[in-house]
Amino acid sequence: MSYRAGDAARRARERYELKQAAAEFYRKLSVTERLEEALNSTFCLGPEDVYGHLANYFAQFSKPPTICQIRGRKVLDGTGEPTVEAEVFCTVKNMDKRICSSVISAASEHPKASKGPEQESNHSADIAIQWLNDLSPKLRGMSPDEQHKIDQLLSDFYQPKIEEEKERRQMEREASPMPLQPEPSPVTSPAPGKKKGSGKGKKAAVVEKPIPPEETPEAVVPGSPAIGALSLAVAKASSVLSKTPLYLHIRALRNEKLPTEFFMPTPMISILSCGTSSPGKLNLMKEVLVIPQTGLTVQQSLDMALMLQNQIVKQINAASKTGPAIKNVSPLGCMLIGGDRIEQPLDLICEACQHVGLELGTNLYLAINCAAHELMDYNKGKYEVLSGTFKSPDEMIDLYVDLINRQPAILALLDPLRKEDTVQWESLAKALGSKCYLFADAASKPICKLLESGSMNSPPCSGTVIKHTNEITISQLLGVFKLIEGENRVAVLGCPYKESVGDSTADLVSGQRMNFQYYVKYKTSLDHKKLQKLSEVKNE
């Protein structure tokens, strides 16, 4: 009997202690007060969905979502190229949910000669997926709102990978040394003022200065797309969870007061390509882009570009005797056409404008991506602007000045010279700085180098083309945009070399208020979701 009485007393004491613990647990969390308030408000409001009302009431007291998992996948884009998709999963109200994902192409614009482009892209995508799996436990428990903190973690994770890649490449070079490239021999040209064959004896000759050697390009680390994809995915996750448009979230990350109005900057739309990969002799114009007049919506700008592009196709096909002449599209999404003269693509556009009732210099302007770094013949020390026609860096300045004088509707030149030709960049800026913009794309330093130096003076230009690719984080994008704005230069957000996946570019550009480079693909239907996103904001 005493045993049973003692057992009952013990159970009673345990129940009492459990009740006390429960009471203390709910007291610390103010559950009783909030439950009473919720019940009173529900009774007073009398909502049709009582439990829905209670769920909404208590949702405001739930813990903020935290990252629980990062997952990487290899996905093929519309052209069959591998891309890296970073998926973000968060714990929301005690449940693990997939929030969003972002995708970045794994293809390199300049693949290594030792590997084919497809093999290199797949190799980079495989490494990126492994990196995302390695980063998952490092980000577990962090809030997607901690963008700058997460970006710093990603940069710290990536830095040792750079050193490892440098060491690996150094070992490869030591194991199989490459033959030394011959230095370009000094080029001689006839002295000015002397006609060929005039005078007696030998011709007077002027020895041109040798060109500066090519700088060692920054190594693209295989797997680097994981960093950029994950940084963007975190930003998207934060905007999704806060139910805020991504462009507003991007703007808020700048720690600035949100403007009352947002404007879509002026688009630059690529329509023609007459570069080294195009048929014909002309190499100088890797892209010919149109810049619509200000005051138009993005929809109106795209309609104008498509109308012009269709007219160009009609003109080329009408002049062809062997059927349709447009057979290829560049990776940038524009028509590959052949040209035997530098002015030929511009004349084609002028004629098309006349047919559709557009006036160059009023309704739209032109920009030319010269991609000069792809034209240099290092044996001759000159740029091959046309097949068999070479120009020295100094002669390129005269070429551009003459081109702008004959076609004043050209508003911008992209990469008119290599970044190593700093003297000629300065001369070109003095000659054309008041007539058109000079943008550096490949000629610009990498974003990380720009942020380290804190200066945009090399090369001297009007602005820089910025692309969200590889290891570039959202915080680094914000930093370089602030740097460009601080020096009163122009920022152009360029689309990646390969096909763009997703509509985040529209959010990045409207959140930053920069010029926007948007590529229209020939004979492909535009993504209506991207188009609608772009058209939501009025063009500045």
Side-chain angles (χ1 to χ4, degrees), residues 23 27-28 44 252 285 300 314 334 351 421 499 504:
R27 185 189 65 78
K28 287 182 178 180
C44 294
M285 301 182 183
Q300 292 170 331
K314 291 179 182 179
C334 48
E351 182 183 351
D421 297 325
E499 179 179 288
S504 301

Side-chain angles (χ1 to χ4, degrees), residues 41-185:
S41 66
T42 302
F43 177 76
C44 294
L45 294 173
E48 183 177 348
D49 184 357
V50 173
Y51 292 105
H53 174 76
L54 291 173
N56 293 334
Y57 175 83
F58 285 110
Q60 62 183 313
F61 303 113
S62 61
K63 287 187 176 181
T66 57
I67 296 172
C68 63
Q69 184 184 8
I70 302 297
R71 185 181 298 170
R73 295 197 305 165
K74 181 163 66 174
V75 181
L76 299 182
D77 64 15
T79 62
E81 294 283 350
T83 64
V84 176
E85 181 183 34
E87 295 180 291
V88 176
F89 293 77
C90 290
T91 301
V92 183
K93 300 172 187 175
N94 298 319
M95 296 183 66
D96 295 343
K97 298 180 179 180
R98 180 189 183 278
I99 304 302
C100 66
S101 67
S102 67
V103 180
I104 284 185
S105 174
S108 173
E109 186 170 354
H110 304 290
K112 294 177 286 185
S114 59
K115 293 183 178 180
E118 184 177 352
Q119 182 182 359
E120 182 180 347
S121 300
N122 280 292
H123 176 63
S124 181
D126 292 338
I127 295 178
I129 293 169
Q130 181 59 50
W131 286 9
L132 291 171
N133 293 333
D134 295 341
L135 284 164
S136 183
K138 297 179 183 294
L139 270 63
R140 187 175 294 123
M142 299 182 70
S143 169
D145 294 339
E146 301 176 287
Q147 183 74 48
H148 298 299
K149 184 177 179 180
I150 291 175
D151 285 346
Q152 185 59 53
L153 186 151
L154 296 179
S155 297
D156 293 342
F157 174 87
Y158 179 69
Q159 195 60 38
K161 307 296 184 182
I162 300 177
E163 301 304 322
E164 292 174 8
E165 180 64 15
K166 288 180 179 178
E167 293 177 3
R168 187 188 66 79
R169 295 191 179 194
Q170 180 64 29
M171 292 175 62
E172 284 185 354
R173 284 192 294 267
E174 292 174 355
S176 55
M178 298 292 291
L180 295 176
Q181 295 290 335
E183 294 186 2
S185 57

Side-chain angles (χ1 to χ4, degrees), residues 15-33:
R15 284 195 298 271
Y16 175 78
E17 292 175 353
L18 187 61
K19 290 180 181 178
Q20 291 295 107
E24 181 64 16
F25 174 79
Y26 291 123
R27 185 189 65 78
K28 287 182 178 180
L29 297 175
S30 303
V31 172
T32 305
E33 293 84 351

Side-chain angles (χ1 to χ4, degrees), residues 383-395:
Y383 295 98
E384 190 174 10
V385 294
L386 292 163
S387 296
T389 301
F390 298 87
K391 299 285 184 181
S392 68
D394 290 326
E395 291 171 332

Side-chain angles (χ1 to χ4, degrees), residues 351-404:
E351 182 183 351
C353 286
Q354 292 175 0
H355 279 89
V356 298
L358 297 175
E359 183 179 351
L360 277 176
T362 302
N363 300 119
L364 75 163
Y365 300 83
L366 299 177
I368 298 175
N369 180 6
C370 307
H373 58 287
E374 298 180 4
L375 308 180
M376 176 57 68
D377 185 322
Y378 285 93
N379 290 324
K380 291 183 172 62
K382 292 188 174 185
Y383 295 98
E384 190 174 10
V385 294
L386 292 163
S387 296
T389 301
F390 298 87
K391 299 285 184 181
S392 68
D394 290 326
E395 291 171 332
M396 292 293 285
I397 298 174
D398 297 332
L399 185 152
Y400 290 129
V401 170
D402 180 62
L403 186 64
I404 298 297

